[in-house]
Amino acid sequence: MKELVWHRQLLPAVDRNATAPFLTDTGSGVTTTYAEHGSRVLRLANAMRKELGVAPGDRVAVMSLNSGAFEELYHAGMLGAAVLNPLNLRFAPRELTHVLSDSVTKVVFVDVWFAGVIDSVRQAAGVEKVVLVGEGDGPHDYRYEDLIAAGEEVLPPEPDEDDAALLMYTGGTTGLPKGVLLTQRNLILTAYHIAMTVRIERNDVYLVQVPMFHAASMGAIVGMPTTGGKLVTVPVFDPGGVMKACEEHGCNNTIMVPTMLAMTFAHPEYSPERLRSLERLTYGASPMPRPVLDRLRNDQPQLELYQGYGMTESAALVSVLMPEDHLREEKLASAGRPVQGTVVQIQDEHGDPVPVGQVGEVCIRGGQFMKEYWRRPEETAEVFRDGWYHSGDAGRVDDEGFLYLVDRTKDMIVTGGENVYSTEVEQAVASHPAVAQVAVIGIPHDLYGEAVHAVVVLRPDASASEEELIEHCRGQIAGYKVPKSVSFREEPLPLSGAMKVLKRELRAPYWEGRDRGVN
């Protein structure tokens, strides 16, 4: 008897909490109840079939800012109407054309902000129908609300646990994006992992500020809707809008990446009182600079802090650093311990496990991992070789099972035969009070192969020289790890749609015409 399908999660929650508020969309000002959400999702699923000709298993894309409609599209797809393909808002036209044609997506849901770019790639990508979501105007064939009105409250048949539910394309850090195919089982196991670790409860008001196209939004997509709690969406991350949402709606739970926290602290209208409603906060996606973590703990002492580590291929979650672990100074640099049912092993280049404390590749087993890379059997076999998912992250595990991530293997710098992990150097540079942002990369060096180079954005009204920052690092890290050079930027570091620093863009000018071996 099957259990790990979305029908068994959403429908009981709708029945139990029919009159309770489900979601407030701050972009439109509209609040829907659980019963209204359930009705709209069923009508949307029915209209996809009747009006758009979409069959179960067909890919349907969405390119939109965060909204209630985005949540409805996720849930209609997960009830078996289609396989949703949420598009990264920062994809360039070439990437969009590739993703839409590679996935054989014929229908795209788009809001006014992205209607023009979808229209520009529509013919080349083979898109047949475009549905405009929300207010405003742009090139389209149908309007979203008209589809909802045309649909009937008919429940789609239950899919099987191994049926495809979601196709999420990675950000293309080493080339064109590739599709991660997630099943019903993958997503529901993630919901269970969220329920057993990151505390999401019935009385929560959960602020959705990470982009909903990203796997980090799984707490909002599959976690919160099963509890009876309320979601509040902001269209796009903006420190002012986030603080306003917390004040007006009493948001007490959310997820933020370190860059978002740093931007909030730097906002001219920030004051600790504006975020006092928050009780729980999960962070992750990139290393947390210690100054940012210290500021967070000092300004918001009421917070229970969780750190989550995962990837799109794992439907978001692999390990969690729990609030009680944050009270142990020696564990703050870790990514916590694996969630239930998930096993982490550190392996060497031959696939053999390494001793406790030794650095190697982070390899993982768990039922939440993707079915495959879409239409890429060789890459799927490679990443799952010997029964382990090979993450490409370098890390170690201590004698209590805590996982420490030291770098992405492609970001590791090899200088004079020594391995330098960029995150360790970044922590040293970031501890200087004048530094707002830092990224450490390897640049060509005729003698050492690569040299450690820091790219720095200084805080407003602060100053520091290259020599000062280099000297600052000498007392914290070994000499071969200390940056050999520093460059300064006026503009912020380039970020992906998930707010991660795009180091490949920072490296590109230095490596033009030369082969680094990895991107």
Side-chain angles (χ1 to χ4, degrees):
M1 183 178 294
K2 62 188 174 186
E3 170 189 349
L4 304 179
V5 295
W6 190 234
H7 283 63
R8 308 293 179 90
Q9 313 301 317
L10 180 65
L11 301 182
V14 168
D15 289 342
R16 289 192 300 266
N17 307 288
T19 60
F22 173 75
L23 184 147
T24 292
D25 182 335
T26 63
S28 66
V30 173
T31 296
T32 53
T33 65
Y34 272 80
E36 289 168 338
H37 177 73
S39 172
R40 287 175 62 85
V41 166
L42 292 181
R43 285 185 280 144
L44 174 60
N46 179 255
M48 282 187 184
R49 178 180 60 81
K50 286 197 321 175
E51 305 296 322
L52 302 179
V54 173
D58 288 350
R59 277 70 57 202
V60 170
V62 55
M63 192 170 196
S64 169
L65 301 180
N66 294 352
S67 67
F70 211 144
E71 186 87 354
E72 292 164 0
L73 284 161
Y74 265 114
H75 290 176
M78 291 168 62
L79 286 178
V83 176
L84 195 70
N85 175 12
L87 300 172
N88 189 320
L89 303 186
R90 298 199 180 186
F91 278 158
R94 173 173 171 264
E95 293 170 309
L96 279 174
T97 302
H98 163 74
V99 167
L100 293 169
S101 58
D102 181 68
S103 59
V104 197
T105 293
K106 302 299 183 184
V107 176
V108 178
F109 289 78
V110 64
D111 66 12
V112 66
W113 299 104
F114 302 99
V117 69
I118 290 297
D119 190 59
S120 72
V121 303
R122 176 176 181 165
Q123 184 173 359
V127 173
E128 297 176 358
K129 298 170 183 176
V130 174
V131 181
L132 188 65
V133 178
E135 298 297 323
D137 201 7
H140 67 279
D141 304 301
Y142 303 85
R143 280 197 173 270
Y144 184 78
E145 290 301 326
D146 293 340
L147 281 182
I148 298 283
E152 301 176 36
E153 290 190 32
V154 178
L155 180 64
E158 276 193 349
D160 290 326
E161 292 184 352
D162 289 331
D163 283 352
L166 192 60
L167 182 63
M168 304 187 90
Y169 276 76
T170 61
T173 56
T174 58
L176 285 171
K178 54 190 174 185
V180 172
L181 191 64
L182 298 168
T183 66
Q184 294 278 335
R185 175 183 176 86
N186 299 150
L187 296 176
I188 305 310
L189 282 176
T190 287
Y192 288 179
H193 292 151
I194 290 170
M196 290 187 283
T197 52
V198 181
R199 197 150 64 91
I200 295 180
E201 299 180 343
R202 179 181 178 84
N203 293 326
D204 280 356
V205 180
Y206 189 95
L207 177 61
V208 186
Q209 53 180 316
V210 296
M212 292 179 73
F213 69 77
H214 193 269
S217 65
M218 284 300 116
I221 305 306
V222 300
M224 196 68 200
T226 66
T227 66
K230 178 184 176 182
L231 294 166
V232 175
T233 65
V234 291
V236 67
F237 170 72
D238 165 66
V242 165
M243 290 184 283
K244 181 180 179 182
C246 287
E247 291 172 321
E248 292 187 356
H249 301 282
C251 302
N252 67 338
N253 200 346
T254 193
I255 182 171
M256 299 179 79
V257 305
T259 303
M260 296 164 73
L261 286 165
M263 290 171 66
T264 301
F265 294 149
H267 194 273
E269 297 178 4
Y270 169 74
S271 66
E273 292 72 23
R274 300 194 69 189
L275 297 180
R276 280 288 188 261
S277 66
L278 290 176
E279 300 171 4
R280 272 158 276 139
L281 185 145
T282 303
Y283 63 92
S286 61
M288 171 74 86
R290 187 55 188 268
V292 176
L293 179 59
D294 290 345
R295 175 81 180 270
L296 178 64
R297 297 169 80 187
N298 180 72
D299 284 6
Q300 307 296 336
Q302 81 283 1
L303 278 178
E304 289 182 6
L305 294 176
Y306 300 79
Q307 181 189 174
Y309 162 66
M311 59 281 300
T312 304
E313 289 86 343
S314 70
L317 205 55
V318 167
S319 67
V320 175
L321 188 72
M322 301 294 284
E324 59 269 25
D325 302 325
H326 281 78
L327 302 178
R328 304 172 64 184
E329 184 69 24
E330 73 278 11
K331 302 301 182 186
L332 287 178
S334 83
R337 288 185 276 206
V339 296
Q340 288 87 339
T342 301
V343 180
V344 170
Q345 184 180 86
I346 308 300
Q347 297 181 4
D348 62 20
E349 66 272 20
H350 305 296
D352 297 321
V354 305
V356 168
Q358 185 171 319
V359 173
E361 184 180 15
V362 178
C363 300
I364 313 156
R365 284 177 173 162
Q368 74 272 41
F369 275 87
M370 67 176 184
K371 185 174 185 177
E372 63 187 34
Y373 285 126
W374 175 255
R375 304 205 305 186
R376 298 191 183 201
E378 293 182 1
E379 291 185 46
T380 302
E382 173 63 18
V383 79
F384 281 122
R385 61 187 182 276
D386 301 321
W388 293 91
Y389 171 76
H390 290 254
S391 71
D393 288 330
R396 59 182 175 86
V397 173
D398 69 14
D399 56 5
E400 294 183 71
F402 284 82
L403 172 64
Y404 295 78
L405 302 169
V406 296
D407 218 342
R408 288 290 295 170
T409 53
K410 69 179 184 298
D411 290 332
M412 186 178 70
I413 302 161
V414 182
T415 179
E418 298 280 2
N419 292 344
V420 175
Y421 299 106
S422 62
T423 53
E424 182 182 6
V425 185
E426 286 163 357
Q427 292 285 0
V429 177
S431 66
H432 191 285
V435 174
Q437 288 184 296
V438 58
V440 169
I441 59 175
I443 63 175
H445 192 281
D446 291 338
L447 179 60
Y448 299 120
E450 287 188 292
V452 181
H453 178 78
V455 183
V456 171
V457 179
L458 295 176
R459 298 184 184 279
D461 303 320
S463 63
S465 67
E466 178 180 28
E467 293 76 15
E468 182 181 347
L469 292 180
I470 291 173
E471 189 59 34
H472 175 77
C473 293
R474 291 195 189 282
Q476 304 183 57
I477 52 179
Y480 69 90
K481 302 176 184 178
V482 172
K484 300 298 183 289
S485 56
V486 178
S487 60
F488 295 92
R489 288 170 59 103
E490 295 290 334
E491 67 274 19
L493 296 177
L495 301 176
S496 71
M499 309 293 282
K500 295 182 183 180
V501 175
L502 293 171
K503 291 187 178 181
R504 71 178 187 273
E505 291 190 9
L506 299 176
R507 281 192 292 261
Y510 296 96
W511 290 93
E512 188 174 358
R514 306 178 68 156
D515 181 19
R516 182 172 181 258
V518 293
N519 293 318

